[in-house]
Amino acid sequence: MAAVKQVNAHAETMGSQAALFMNINAAKGLLEVMKTNLGPRGTIKMLVGGAGDIKLTKDGNVLLREMQIQNPTAVMIARTAVAQDDITGDGTTTTVLIIGELLKQAEKYLNEGLHPRVLVEGFEIAKKAALAYIDKVKKPIDGSDREQLRCVAYTALRTKLQESIANQLTDNVTDAVLTVKVPNEPLDLHMVEIMHMKHKMATDTRLVNGLVLDHGARHPDMKKYNEDCFILTCNISLEYEKSEVNSGFFYSNADQREKMVAAERMYTDERVHKIIELKNKVCGDDPSKSFVVINQKGIDPLSLDLLVQNGIVGLRRAKKRNMERLILACGGVAVNSVEELTPESLGYADKVYEHVIGEDKYTFVEGVKNPHSCTLLIKGPHDHTIAQVKEAIRDGLRAIKNTLEDGSVIPGAGSFEVGLQTHLKNEVVKTVEGRARLGVEAFAEALLIVPKTLASNSGNDPQEALISLQNEHEKGNFLGFDVESGEPTDPCMSGIYDNLIVKRQILQSSPIIASQLLLVDEVIRAGRNMRPR
């Protein structure tokens, strides 16, 4: 400490014991904040911003991102948990809980004079044993079995939303992933468009096998409801364009001016007439067939008039990402010039219609054949509900994606943590010599924070729940905790599954962060901005 003072007299330092216990207390403080969020019976936090804006959530990722955390240790733990969400899409709250509990268990031994390095060695042994144990208990899963994927999605959604909404969203999310899934290709979740409407209730959220565009037709006379539609997806400018360089019209009389304007206009009109020709070719005189142009570039009023006169619906300025999804949903190809217009380049949809809410217009493209893109349309009465459902849907999609990539799952409901604790205590500790076994024991005890928190959050006695679970595991029954009945339950029979990659990532990162914090023996605040002025 004195050495640091000699280098920088303005430095603020904290000695070995003080630094260590500051880290432990910060981890315990964050643990207490996040603890009540865990599981389907967890409580909700209300975040109030500086401007008075309110956010209601029980998603650990949102909480850690939005909360202003000032303690440097707590910031480090929060970043680890947020990184966990970025990588796997879930497990933020569990990561914070296990890091906090590892340091809490370590505190008992440190107070008795044990050196942190000994505990860290034990943590490392326990981590390796835990990662090996995961491969023993994982359950293979069939990627084409909708019911198993549905269970994985329900487990992820149920921790974020109330039961009635989670039940309905589970089917929507599962079907969305199965729609965009292409055999032998990586799953691209960007092909699931998430659109929201401030309209009706959250339970009215639905999966649209097609696309929902957040704008409508720009001409008042265009048909609002179309059936048996041919869809032209194009990136062709149908508007009068200015030249890229400075240029001007030079004429000597009014006739010349009129001819120049007509010649300019003819260039755009020719393109529109080629689209009209294609429409006449595929639809003929059949009034039951419709032709819809969805253009990434602009369509000017004169071109819109021409389209309306020929019974064509035109949507302009569509987003680039929607153009990609349209082709996957409706079929056909994206056309970049009028020379490429052929009947084969067209997609198809049963119906295309416009829905207006207040000043907002939405265009629905539904009834498509063999879609590989779809839209999850989130509805809700206000922004709080919509934001909550949107966050939950993101986690549900990631949970199914992880399952399909891993090809296996881990039984949930706290069964894995109790099973791993029993394995470490009964088998791994016996193979460890010396004081490092204390670190393995601390690691094993820390894992029990998950079942204990699940029990206490559901209004049950955590000690009683834990003892009944441990008794079952001693007998060889791999059971978890049922938050509804308060009794041990078989997670596989109840359909409670966790992602393999999530558990693996938690067991990889939590001991590393806990070990690094235990090995801190001095906190020095001696930044450049602390020099005397």
Side-chain angles (χ1 to χ4, degrees), residues 472-511:
E472 292 292 343
H473 278 263
E474 293 288 348
K475 293 174 192 171
N477 302 324
F478 203 84
L479 301 185
F481 182 75
D482 186 346
V483 294
E484 304 289 336
S485 65
E487 298 294 324
T489 182
D490 185 346
C492 298
M493 294 296 289
S494 306
I496 305 168
Y497 294 115
D498 288 327
N499 283 140
L500 174 66
I501 190 173
V502 173
K503 289 292 181 197
R504 185 173 278 150
Q505 185 66 25
I506 290 168
L507 292 174
Q508 284 272 20
S509 59
S510 301

Side-chain angles (χ1 to χ4, degrees), residues 348-378:
Y348 179 82
D350 281 343
K351 53 187 176 181
V352 175
Y353 60 93
E354 194 176 288
H355 187 83
V356 182
I357 300 171
E359 293 181 2
D360 297 325
K361 289 182 179 180
Y362 298 87
T363 303
F364 287 72
V365 180
E366 285 191 57
V368 296
K369 294 172 181 173
N370 305 319
H372 287 298
S373 179
C374 57
T375 303
L376 278 165
L377 183 63
I378 300 169

Side-chain angles (χ1 to χ4, degrees), residues 331-351:
V333 292
V335 176
N336 290 312
S337 75
V338 286
E339 284 71 35
E340 297 171 27
L341 291 174
T342 59
E344 291 74 37
S345 65
L346 299 175
Y348 179 82
D350 281 343
K351 53 187 176 181

Side-chain angles (χ1 to χ4, degrees), residues 243-248:
S243 59
E244 290 181 13
V245 294
N246 287 332
S247 59

Side-chain angles (χ1 to χ4, degrees), residues 295-349:
N295 193 10
Q296 195 177 329
K297 290 184 176 169
I299 308 175
D300 64 18
L302 293 171
S303 300
L304 283 170
D305 263 340
L306 272 172
L307 294 175
V308 170
Q309 288 163 20
N310 290 275
I312 298 173
V313 177
L315 285 93
R316 64 185 184 190
R317 308 262 182 239
K319 294 185 178 75
K320 188 179 178 182
R321 59 191 169 90
N322 283 339
M323 303 303 278
E324 201 177 330
R325 291 181 181 129
L326 266 168
I327 299 155
L328 288 168
C330 306
V333 292
V335 176
N336 290 312
S337 75
V338 286
E339 284 71 35
E340 297 171 27
L341 291 174
T342 59
E344 291 74 37
S345 65
L346 299 175
Y348 179 82

Side-chain angles (χ1 to χ4, degrees), residues 21-36 45 64 67 69 71 73-74 77 96-97 99-101 103-104:
F21 289 107
M22 181 202 83
N23 287 343
I24 291 170
N25 289 332
K28 280 158 65 178
L30 199 57
L31 180 147
E32 292 302 323
V33 171
M34 303 293 288
K35 197 176 177 182
T36 51
K45 298 279 187 288
L64 293 173
M67 273 198 304
I69 303 170
N71 185 293
T73 307
I77 296 169
V96 171
L97 259 59
I99 292 172
E101 192 65 17
L103 293 172
K104 202 173 177 181

Side-chain angles (χ1 to χ4, degrees), residues 12-84:
E12 293 174 13
T13 59
M14 197 179 279
S16 57
Q17 287 299 311
L20 194 52
F21 289 107
M22 181 202 83
N23 287 343
I24 291 170
N25 289 332
K28 280 158 65 178
L30 199 57
L31 180 147
E32 292 302 323
V33 171
M34 303 293 288
K35 197 176 177 182
T36 51
N37 285 18
L38 189 74
R41 292 291 182 90
T43 51
I44 293 174
K45 298 279 187 288
M46 181 189 282
L47 292 170
V48 184
D53 49 315
I54 294 169
K55 185 171 256 190
L56 298 168
T57 185
K58 60 184 286 196
D59 187 345
N61 178 42
V62 176
L63 269 173
L64 293 173
R65 282 182 191 275
E66 301 280 340
M67 273 198 304
Q68 279 199 343
I69 303 170
Q70 292 182 333
N71 185 293
T73 307
V75 169
M76 187 176 172
I77 296 169
R79 282 180 185 162
T80 307
V82 168
Q84 160 85 21

